[in-house]
Amino acid sequence: MPFEIQDFHDLVRLLEAHPEWRAELRRLVLSEELLRLPELVQQLIEAHRRAEERLDRLEATAAQLVEAQRKAEERLDRLEATVAQLIEAQRKAEERLDRLEATVAQLIEAQRKAEERLDRLEATVAQLIEAQRKAEERLDRLEATVAQLIEAQRKAEERLQRAEARLERVEKRLERVEKRLEHVEKRLEHVEIRLDGVEKRLEKTEDRLSKVWGGFQENRYRERAHAYFAPILSRIRVLSSEQLVQLLDEALEAGRLTEADRRDLLLADLVLQGRRDDQTVYLVAKVSGLISEDDVRRAVDRAQALARATDRPVIAAVAGETLPTDVQALAAQRGVWCITDGHVLSPAP
């Protein structure tokens, strides 16, 4: 039979009165897909909710990661600043270490030079001690002489006492004794004056010893020049002061020598003329007990000045008793011969 509108309204009222019928009606009216649509929508809503929850968690995780990244970058910045500071500190430490190494090297060199100076000083002190010993021996002999004089004075006083006891009987002898007594007193005064002189001379002994020693060395090498310098020259002739003055005056007048060089050459310890390599040459020597670097330089300067004055080859030499190692090295470098108590060292290797 036909389905009318009134019937539809009745159906609606029935469905409102019986809600449980709605599901059965939907199953009959709607297709399977439409029936599953609410379930699908609910699943979509649930899936959307879970997606939003995951998104919220992802956003929270992302925020944590951003914060962690920011903190990591801050720590990295601090670390880079710390590394930069460490690099700068390392650079400064290396610079300080370089300066320290340079300072240590300077101290080592200064210590070496100080030890060399101490060696030379010890050698000089040993010579002074020997000279002092000889001076003390002379003083001992002088003291013995003074003791003899004192003993003589004592005996004279004893004789004077005996003479006084015999005064009444021997007036003439008393006069002679008085004269002798006056003479003894004068001698004692002279002894006291001599003792004062000895003390002053002893005070000057140390200053004079070095000069005397240098003069002794100079005289020895001058007197034995033919023996000491034979390995260097033949037909050796020692120039006297007059010969050297004449030679230098001629060079000064000819304009080959300055007045300052002339004065310096006149102070040379020893100037020789001889033959070497079939030609006439000169030799200028600086003589010292302890040969120093300054002696080497003086010998070189004087040899160069004499070469200009004579227009001849001139050999520079140093001579003495003690030749330190560093001075020998400088002499070899400057082309200076070294003579030490008969031993001749050539500058050539």
Side-chain angles (χ1 to χ4, degrees), residues 177-229:
V177 170
E178 288 177 351
K179 291 180 180 180
R180 293 180 63 186
L181 179 61
E182 292 176 357
H183 179 66
V184 169
E185 289 176 350
K186 290 180 180 180
R187 291 182 64 186
L188 287 175
E189 291 176 356
H190 181 66
V191 168
E192 291 178 355
I193 293 172
R194 289 184 63 187
L195 285 175
D196 292 337
V198 168
E199 290 179 357
K200 293 179 181 179
R201 289 174 64 187
L202 287 175
E203 291 176 356
K204 298 178 181 178
T205 298
E206 292 184 358
D207 294 334
R208 295 178 61 187
L209 280 175
S210 60
K211 296 179 181 179
V212 170
W213 184 252
F216 171 75
Q217 292 288 331
E218 182 178 339
N219 291 333
R220 186 177 69 169
Y221 277 94
R222 179 180 293 275
E223 292 173 358
R224 302 178 183 178
H226 295 81
Y228 285 133
F229 297 95

Side-chain angles (χ1 to χ4, degrees), residues 42-57:
Q42 185 62 34
Q43 292 177 356
L44 287 173
I45 292 171
E46 182 65 22
H48 180 68
R49 184 185 62 78
R50 289 195 299 270
E52 287 181 349
E53 291 177 355
R54 291 180 64 188
L55 183 59
D56 291 338
R57 290 195 297 271

Side-chain angles (χ1 to χ4, degrees), residues 182-314:
E182 292 176 357
H183 179 66
V184 169
E185 289 176 350
K186 290 180 180 180
R187 291 182 64 186
L188 287 175
E189 291 176 356
H190 181 66
V191 168
E192 291 178 355
I193 293 172
R194 289 184 63 187
L195 285 175
D196 292 337
V198 168
E199 290 179 357
K200 293 179 181 179
R201 289 174 64 187
L202 287 175
E203 291 176 356
K204 298 178 181 178
T205 298
E206 292 184 358
D207 294 334
R208 295 178 61 187
L209 280 175
S210 60
K211 296 179 181 179
V212 170
W213 184 252
F216 171 75
Q217 292 288 331
E218 182 178 339
N219 291 333
R220 186 177 69 169
Y221 277 94
R222 179 180 293 275
E223 292 173 358
R224 302 178 183 178
H226 295 81
Y228 285 133
F229 297 95
I232 305 175
L233 299 175
S234 61
R235 300 181 185 177
I236 295 174
R237 183 167 66 93
V238 181
L239 294 187
S240 64
S241 299
E242 292 78 7
Q243 292 171 333
L244 182 60
V245 169
Q246 181 180 358
L247 180 65
L248 297 179
D249 287 343
E250 292 176 357
L252 183 64
E253 293 174 358
R256 297 191 302 271
L257 193 67
T258 65
E259 180 61 32
D261 289 337
R262 176 183 177 276
R263 288 195 300 269
D264 186 56
L265 282 171
L266 288 176
L267 296 176
D269 296 334
L270 186 62
V271 179
L272 306 178
Q273 183 183 27
R275 300 283 296 177
R276 183 177 176 82
D277 298 332
D278 295 330
Q279 61 178 336
T280 300
V281 299
Y282 290 90
L283 184 145
V284 176
K286 182 69 178 72
V287 181
S288 301
L290 175 63
I291 303 173
S292 65
E293 293 182 354
D294 188 57
D295 294 334
V296 174
R297 286 189 286 268
R298 285 187 179 181
V300 172
D301 293 341
R302 288 171 179 171
Q304 292 174 350
L306 186 59
R308 292 192 298 271
T310 60
D311 197 21
R312 294 269 186 186
V314 178

Side-chain angles (χ1 to χ4, degrees), residues 31-47:
S31 64
E32 185 69 24
E33 289 78 8
L34 290 175
L35 290 173
R36 293 183 58 194
L37 183 60
E39 182 182 354
L40 294 173
V41 171
Q42 185 62 34
Q43 292 177 356
L44 287 173
I45 292 171
E46 182 65 22

Side-chain angles (χ1 to χ4, degrees), residues 124-135:
T124 303
V125 169
Q127 296 175 355
L128 291 175
I129 291 173
E130 178 63 18
Q132 179 67 22
R133 184 187 62 79
K134 293 181 180 179

Side-chain angles (χ1 to χ4, degrees), residues 144-184:
T145 303
V146 171
Q148 293 174 357
L149 290 175
I150 293 172
E151 180 65 18
Q153 174 64 20
R154 185 186 62 79
K155 292 180 180 179
E157 289 178 353
E158 291 176 355
R159 293 179 65 185
L160 180 60
Q161 291 174 357
R162 290 194 298 270
E164 288 176 350
R166 296 160 53 190
L167 177 62
E168 295 179 357
R169 294 178 297 164
V170 192
E171 292 181 355
K172 292 182 180 180
R173 293 182 61 186
L174 178 59
E175 293 177 357
R176 291 195 297 271
V177 170
E178 288 177 351
K179 291 180 180 180
R180 293 180 63 186
L181 179 61
E182 292 176 357
H183 179 66
V184 169

Side-chain angles (χ1 to χ4, degrees), residues 320-331:
E321 277 195 346
T322 305
L323 178 63
T325 305
D326 57 337
V327 178
Q328 181 180 350
L330 178 62

